[in-house]
Amino acid sequence: MNVLSLSATFPYPPSRGGTQVRTFNLLKYLNQYHRVTVVTQRQEGVTDDEIEALRGYVSELVVFERPPIVDKSLLRKVRRFSGFFLGGTPPSVLSYYSREMQTWVDEAVASGNYDVITCEHSVNETFVRPRWGDRLKTLVNVHSSIFGTCRQQLETETAERPLRDRLNLPLLYRYENRYCQKFSHIVVTTPEDGAQMKQFNPDSCIMVIPNGVDVELFPMRSHDPGGHRLIFVGAMDNIANIDAVTFLVKEIYPQVRSRYPDTTLTLVGSNPVPEVQQLATVSGVTVTGRVPSMSDYLHEATVCVVSMRIGYGIKNKTLEAMAAGTPIVGSDAALEGLQVDDESQPRRALRANHVEEYVQAIAHLFDNESLRQDLSRNGRAYVQEQFTWERAGQLYERAIAAESGVCPET
């Protein structure tokens, strides 16, 4: 089949962020069985070498320049909200819109050369015309529900601008409900997102395809390092991660250190914003920035704390730590879509949502080598069985290749 895949986020290298990781690995797998044309945008920081490297993984690569960042003045913000209210599309989605890219996509679909068009992340839906569903299969790969994420941030009181988000929430519901009608197939990462999308488009085929891990890049650690070393991993310019590490350093870490004075905490991830860099002034806390090998840092840690309070979907950071064999203490958000403490299954992580729960779980792991080894072994086995990119790619290929009107089982 000829597949036209839209990804406004440049999907390489796959270590740059969660969107890039999922998009790259699924398209890389898909290209083994179909001719995949990727249409993407070059944002700041993407090098010529990275563009050439990506060409080696797809059949054809078409690159446009990312639209310039719009004026952030108050007047401009009022106009953007007015446009959202009247037009129905969020400013965050419109910021990716390119007339040049739209023209190319229109002509490509009109040519009749493609059997399937995919949106690799919901922000790309703006390039898909509603009428195209009559001439080719339309699929959107929803990494996470933006309505669900906004609602969650308001419910947990972690919204950066709560007044704005309360105004946006019904508009996001209207937007997500509208764009879902354009697609015959909707791919999500968790059953929770699947249920949300089913409300929006009951007639669409909803497929749950979780994220995966490259188990060669995240090998099982060779031994338990012991000690009292904590780690958090993730892109440090992501709002959900910024909130998580701030919560970890300011509220959880001090109480752990009062029990174990030699405890250290390493925050590993690219592009730490000033707010994150400031956390390195706390005794025992290190902010690394981007590192050559995330797995090396995971192997050295006693416990990986995934203190997420916001964010929808399966978290790559959780799966990667499991693959590396690092015991995890994580929140409901961090463990979404994973069976880690079901009584019918081996325990694969410890769950915590409040400060005292985190402290107790971390202390339990610090003091119990046998438990650490159990979580390490069980987590690795779980990832190898359920969450490799090979398995995710197989499911995605099944969604692409399915006959019209057929919804494959996952």
Side-chain angles (χ1 to χ4, degrees):
M1 300 179 71
N2 285 329
V3 181
L4 180 61
S5 294
L6 311 181
S7 177
T9 300
F10 190 81
Y12 192 87
S15 58
R16 184 167 272 145
T19 298
Q20 291 91 332
V21 170
R22 181 172 174 87
T23 301
F24 171 79
N25 281 285
L26 292 182
L27 294 182
K28 174 187 173 184
Y29 184 91
L30 202 60
N31 196 61
Q32 298 178 68
Y33 303 95
H34 306 283
R35 177 177 173 80
V36 177
T37 297
V38 175
V39 185
T40 186
Q41 294 179 1
R42 177 177 186 167
Q43 59 261 35
E44 184 178 358
V46 173
T47 67
D48 291 341
D49 288 344
E50 290 169 345
I51 292 176
E52 290 308 309
L54 181 59
R55 291 190 195 280
Y57 294 101
V58 297
S59 301
E60 182 181 3
L61 179 65
V62 182
V63 183
F64 293 91
E65 292 298 321
R66 174 77 186 273
I69 298 175
V70 299
D71 177 19
K72 294 185 178 181
S73 67
L74 179 60
L75 178 60
R76 180 62 181 176
K77 289 179 180 179
V78 171
R79 288 176 176 172
R80 291 173 70 195
F81 178 79
S82 298
F84 183 16
F85 182 81
L86 297 174
T89 303
S92 59
V93 175
L94 290 175
S95 68
Y96 289 94
Y97 188 75
S98 159
R99 291 185 182 275
E100 185 182 13
M101 182 169 162
Q102 181 71 71
T103 299
W104 192 98
V105 174
D106 286 346
E107 293 175 353
V109 173
S111 73
N113 293 332
Y114 295 95
D115 305 296
V116 184
I117 185 168
T118 76
C119 292
E120 304 302 325
H121 198 294
S122 58
V123 296
N124 300 283
E125 66 77 23
T126 188
F127 294 103
V128 175
R129 309 288 190 186
R131 63 181 181 275
W132 288 351
D134 295 332
R135 65 172 67 181
L136 76 172
K137 180 186 292 185
T138 54
L139 182 150
V140 59
N141 186 355
V142 181
H143 292 206
S144 62
S145 165
I146 57 174
F147 164 74
T149 299
C150 181
R151 180 178 60 184
Q152 181 191 64
Q153 291 175 358
L154 287 170
E155 290 174 349
T156 58
E157 299 183 350
T158 54
E160 188 177 15
R161 297 184 178 90
L163 177 59
R164 178 203 63 184
D165 289 350
R166 288 191 191 96
L167 293 173
N168 281 345
L169 190 62
L171 301 181
L172 290 173
Y173 182 92
R174 180 186 67 178
Y175 163 71
E176 208 153 42
N177 181 68
R178 176 179 59 79
Y179 88 67
C180 281
Q181 312 308 314
K182 296 192 292 185
F183 296 94
S184 60
H185 289 68
I186 299 175
V187 170
V188 295
T189 63
T190 67
E192 291 83 356
D193 262 359
Q196 179 66 71
M197 294 301 156
K198 196 68 175 177
Q199 291 183 23
F200 291 142
N201 188 350
D203 297 327
S204 178
C205 168
I206 310 291
M207 292 186 65
V208 179
I209 302 179
N211 285 342
V213 176
D214 185 333
V215 292
E216 293 183 1
L217 287 178
F218 291 88
M220 176 70 169
R221 66 185 188 181
S222 60
H223 66 283
D224 179 353
H228 303 132
R229 291 186 289 273
L230 302 178
I231 191 172
F232 180 98
V233 299
M236 295 299 170
D237 57 353
N238 174 280
I239 184 171
N241 290 340
I242 294 170
D243 176 77
V245 296
T246 302
F247 174 54
L248 173 57
V249 172
K250 294 187 175 180
E251 300 190 43
I252 301 169
Y253 177 67
Q255 293 200 33
V256 174
R257 213 161 195 249
S258 69
R259 293 194 189 188
Y260 305 89
D262 63 338
T263 299
T264 61
L265 170 60
T266 306
L267 308 179
V268 184
S270 60
N271 304 321
V273 297
E275 185 178 354
V276 174
Q277 295 175 19
Q278 180 66 24
L279 298 175
T281 61
V282 176
S283 180
V285 176
T286 301
V287 178
T288 67
R290 189 172 182 175
V291 297
S293 173
M294 191 76 77
S295 62
D296 287 347
Y297 280 84
L298 286 167
H299 290 163
E300 295 170 0
T302 317
V303 178
C304 179
V305 184
V306 193
S307 47
M308 310 293 292
R309 296 192 292 183
I310 53 178
Y312 256 43
I314 288 182
K315 309 302 182 295
N316 286 341
K317 59 175 64 63
T318 304
L319 295 177
E320 289 166 357
M322 281 185 172
T326 310
I328 290 173
V329 175
S331 64
D332 289 343
L335 303 175
E336 182 181 341
L338 305 177
Q339 294 179 331
V340 297
D341 50 7
D342 189 315
E343 291 184 359
S344 64
Q345 303 288 343
R347 178 174 285 189
R348 293 149 176 161
L350 299 187
R351 190 180 300 270
N353 289 293
H354 306 289
V355 173
E356 58 273 17
E357 293 173 341
Y358 278 104
V359 175
Q360 182 177 355
I362 291 168
H364 195 25
L365 285 169
F366 277 174
D367 296 339
N368 192 328
E369 180 180 357
S370 176
L371 177 59
R372 293 199 304 271
Q373 291 178 346
D374 285 346
L375 296 189
S376 177
R377 181 172 55 253
N378 295 341
R380 173 71 179 188
Y382 186 41
V383 168
Q384 287 181 309
E385 179 184 347
Q386 298 288 336
F387 298 102
T388 63
W389 284 121
E390 178 79 10
R391 182 174 184 272
Q394 290 171 353
L395 295 173
Y396 200 47
E397 196 278 331
R398 197 181 301 170
I400 295 294
E403 295 182 5
S404 179
V406 175
C407 190
E409 294 183 4
T410 55

